[in-house]
């Protein structure tokens, strides 16, 4: 069984506490993605799993086996690096076969494994080429192929798509997902790209400053972020945050700021009542806003002034101003928004998020 468990994992580099008390159970066959901004400790975590980085404290288990003191080559894990790390003087075949040769696999077995992996990755015609004769996407496939031929218990990916252009990245993302469905090998994948994390991960682990902020299925994390950091990091364009004050009028609670009075949904009222007359952060995702129609309730809509219009074909992003705050709305492409003019926007009350200004935790 190829479950991986990280227990109270820490890594300190002199002053920098790069990984802080990380606890994580990666299930057998699971594709888990570590995501977060640059410097959040995701690569260091992955490298500790691979055995390429010393562990300051804590434990790593592969199945039931404690692997802290096992050298990388004995861990039965295969890593794909961001720069592919191919040997330039070797052919694609030799690059893929190298690890098996070093482990003294029989020649026939090596040939079979390389051929199978090359077919799976659609590169059987490239086996005689050298890396410099390959495109970025092809090199990336070779790097993945080199990991596949080992039939490891766990794949480790360190930003493997970040050197590819945007279109190829999307294509390779789909291929990696398909590959994982076929091979059913446990995979730990590191990226700073939240779209990659959402689309690839069975679960995602969001990290900040060395600590895990939230672990969950992509849509769960997206729709129920535990704190303001996760809410702002997952989603593009990012969630709008506004400083508001909770006020009561005629028995209902509102989150109020200049130019905006948002009705607190009844099911959230009990929890938010303790914040009366206090300031909290209101979060609205751009896609939860749309242009108000005549039939929309007056008290669920507000006026905004259009600052920037970004037509994207399938949708339009509007940067708008409400009082002193900027609100981005992702609206239907048929909306005729004019620069510097007012537009009336409406929101989905159930999707509003509220965050405590002191702790930045979601108020749920
Ligand atoms: P990136 O996406 O930029 O690679 P990351 O989330 O993978 O970022 P890490 O590379 O894990 O982040 O680094 C975490 C922290 O540890 C950073 O502050 C980094 O500067 C520091 N760090 C990493 N390796 C070392 C090292 N060998 N010596 C000193 N500090 C290090």
């Amino acid at each position: 069984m190829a479950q991986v468990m990280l227990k109270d994992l820490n890594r300190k580099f002199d002053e920098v506490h790069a990984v802080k008390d990380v606890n994580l159970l990666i299930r057998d066959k699971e594709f888990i993605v570590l995501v977060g901004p640059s410097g959040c400790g995701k690569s260091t975590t992955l490298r500790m799993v691979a055995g390429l980085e010393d562990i300051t404290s804590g434990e790593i288990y592969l199945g039931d086996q404690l692997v802290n003191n096992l050298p990388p080559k004995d861990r039965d894990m295969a890593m794909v690096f961001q720069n592919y790390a191919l040997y330039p003087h070797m052919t694609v075949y030799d690059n893929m076969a190298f690890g098996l040769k070093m482990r003294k696999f029989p020649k026939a077995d090596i040939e079979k494994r390389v051929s199978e992996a090359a077919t799976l990755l659609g590169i059987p015609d490239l086996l005689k080429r050298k890396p410099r004769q390959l495109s970025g996407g092809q090199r990336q496939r070779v790097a993945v192929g080199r990991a596949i031929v080992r039939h490891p218990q766990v794949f480790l990916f360190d930003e493997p798509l970040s050197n590819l252009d945007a279109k190829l990245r999307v294509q390779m993302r789909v291929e990696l997902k398909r590959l994982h469905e076929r091979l059913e090998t446990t995979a730990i994948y590191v990226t700073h790209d939240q779209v990659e994390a959402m689309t690839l991960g069975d679960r995602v682990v969001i990290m900040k400053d060395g600590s895990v902020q939230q672990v969950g299925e992509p849509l769960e994390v997206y729709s129920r972020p535990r704190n303001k950091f996760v809410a702002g990091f997952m989603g593009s364009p990012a969630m709008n945050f506004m400083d508001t004050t909770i006020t009561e009028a005629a028995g209902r609670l509102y989150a109020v700021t200049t130019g905006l009075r948002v009705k607190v949904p009844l099911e959230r009222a009990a929890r938010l009542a303790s914040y009366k007359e206090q300031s909290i952060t209101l979060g609205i995702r751009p896609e939860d806003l749309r242009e108000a129609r005549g039939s929309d309730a007056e008290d669920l809509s507000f006026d905004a002034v259009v600052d920037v219009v970004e037509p994207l074909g399938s949708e339009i992003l509007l940067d708008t101003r409400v009082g002193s705050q900027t609100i981005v709305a992702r609206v239907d492409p048929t909306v005729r928004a004019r620069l510097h003019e007012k537009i009336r926007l409406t929101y989905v009350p159930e999707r509003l998020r509220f965050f405590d200004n002191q702790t930045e935790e979601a108020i749920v």
Side-chain angles (χ1 to χ4, degrees):
M1 199 178 64
Q3 112 181 351
V4 178
M5 187 164 69
L6 315 185
K7 232 176 139 185
D8 300 325
L9 201 60
N10 281 276
R11 177 68 170 116
K12 287 182 188 159
F13 300 100
D14 304 321
E15 308 292 276
V16 184
H17 197 164
V19 175
K20 293 177 196 159
D21 296 324
V22 169
N23 283 288
L24 194 60
L25 178 66
I26 299 145
R27 302 169 189 140
D28 186 30
K29 300 181 184 153
E30 186 172 36
F31 199 121
I32 203 149
V33 181
L34 309 185
V35 65
S38 183
C40 72
K42 52 198 188 296
S43 296
T44 305
T45 304
L46 190 77
R47 289 170 59 79
M48 284 194 281
V49 175
L52 302 170
E53 192 74 68
D54 288 340
I55 296 169
T56 305
S57 67
E59 291 163 350
I60 299 176
Y61 291 88
L62 174 58
D64 298 330
Q65 189 188 14
L66 180 68
V67 297
N68 282 40
N69 298 318
L70 277 189
K73 68 176 177 45
D74 296 333
R75 291 198 183 191
D76 204 7
M77 302 179 185
M79 184 139 162
V80 179
F81 295 91
Q82 180 175 1
N83 59 7
Y84 318 139
L86 300 177
Y87 299 109
H89 57 286
M90 286 186 196
T91 62
V92 166
Y93 181 93
D94 288 334
N95 262 289
M96 284 168 69
F98 185 73
L100 302 178
K101 280 185 188 159
M102 296 301 285
R103 287 175 175 78
K104 308 254 184 298
F105 275 64
K107 193 158 177 259
D109 197 12
I110 296 179
E111 276 174 16
K112 183 163 172 287
R113 287 185 180 213
V114 172
S115 156
E116 274 172 8
T119 305
L120 193 62
L121 294 162
I123 53 170
D125 300 341
L126 305 179
L127 290 174
K128 292 202 176 87
R129 293 206 200 163
K130 299 272 177 63
R132 70 182 140 76
Q133 297 166 307
L134 302 175
S135 69
Q138 290 166 336
R139 276 180 215 170
Q140 207 274 341
R141 285 190 185 85
V142 178
V144 173
R146 194 172 50 181
I148 290 178
V149 295
R150 299 232 340 251
H151 298 177
Q153 290 203 62
V154 183
F155 286 125
L156 306 174
F157 295 100
D158 192 2
E159 307 235 13
L161 305 185
S162 54
N163 286 338
L164 304 177
D165 66 50
K167 199 169 168 193
L168 197 52
R169 207 152 62 216
V170 173
Q171 187 190 332
M172 289 303 301
R173 201 167 77 198
V174 175
E175 288 187 22
L176 280 182
K177 194 161 176 143
R178 201 175 288 141
L179 197 66
H180 178 251
E181 271 156 25
R182 282 192 63 172
L183 298 177
E184 296 194 319
T185 306
T186 309
I188 311 177
Y189 188 104
V190 160
T191 181
H192 62 271
D193 180 343
Q194 49 90 22
V195 178
E196 224 167 88
M198 294 276 294
T199 50
L200 277 172
D202 294 322
R203 286 188 303 155
V204 295
V205 179
I206 297 115
M207 294 183 70
K208 179 192 170 213
D209 299 337
S211 303
V212 172
Q213 303 292 304
Q214 190 166 359
V215 184
E217 290 175 15
L219 289 180
E220 177 192 337
V221 166
Y222 188 80
S223 53
R224 285 193 296 279
R226 185 171 292 162
N227 59 32
K228 196 175 159 190
F229 174 79
V230 174
F233 188 76
M234 303 302 276
S236 175
M239 182 182 274
N240 297 294
F241 293 121
M242 281 154 279
D243 261 331
T244 61
T245 305
I246 296 292
T247 58
E248 189 176 354
R252 285 292 304 254
L253 288 184
Y254 295 85
V256 180
T257 180
T258 315
L260 184 68
R261 194 172 92 135
V262 167
K263 207 174 192 176
V264 172
L266 277 176
E267 68 271 17
R268 317 290 285 282
R271 185 73 180 82
L272 281 161
S274 59
Y275 287 87
K276 231 180 285 175
E277 302 310 324
Q278 290 180 35
S279 61
I280 59 149
T281 301
L282 167 69
I284 309 182
R285 290 215 182 270
E287 65 270 30
D288 294 332
L289 290 165
R290 64 173 170 77
E291 187 178 30
R293 288 186 281 265
S295 55
D296 285 317
E298 192 60 21
D299 59 354
L300 291 180
S301 50
F302 58 92
D303 283 329
V305 178
V306 176
D307 261 348
V308 180
V309 180
E310 294 179 83
L312 299 177
S314 60
E315 64 199 18
I316 300 174
L317 296 184
L318 298 179
D319 271 52
T320 69
R321 235 173 334 103
V322 178
S324 60
Q325 324 221 21
T326 299
I327 297 184
V328 179
R330 180 186 245 164
V331 298
D332 202 79
T334 54
V335 169
R336 296 278 162 260
R338 290 180 193 284
L339 224 50
H340 312 307
E341 288 190 7
K342 270 191 199 163
I343 182 168
R344 194 146 182 90
L345 296 172
T346 183
Y347 52 90
V348 185
E350 295 73 34
R351 303 261 184 85
L352 298 173
R353 299 288 136 202
F354 303 93
F355 302 93
D356 185 298
N357 270 359
Q358 255 79 55
T359 63
E360 302 206 338
E361 299 287 313
I363 304 168
V364 286

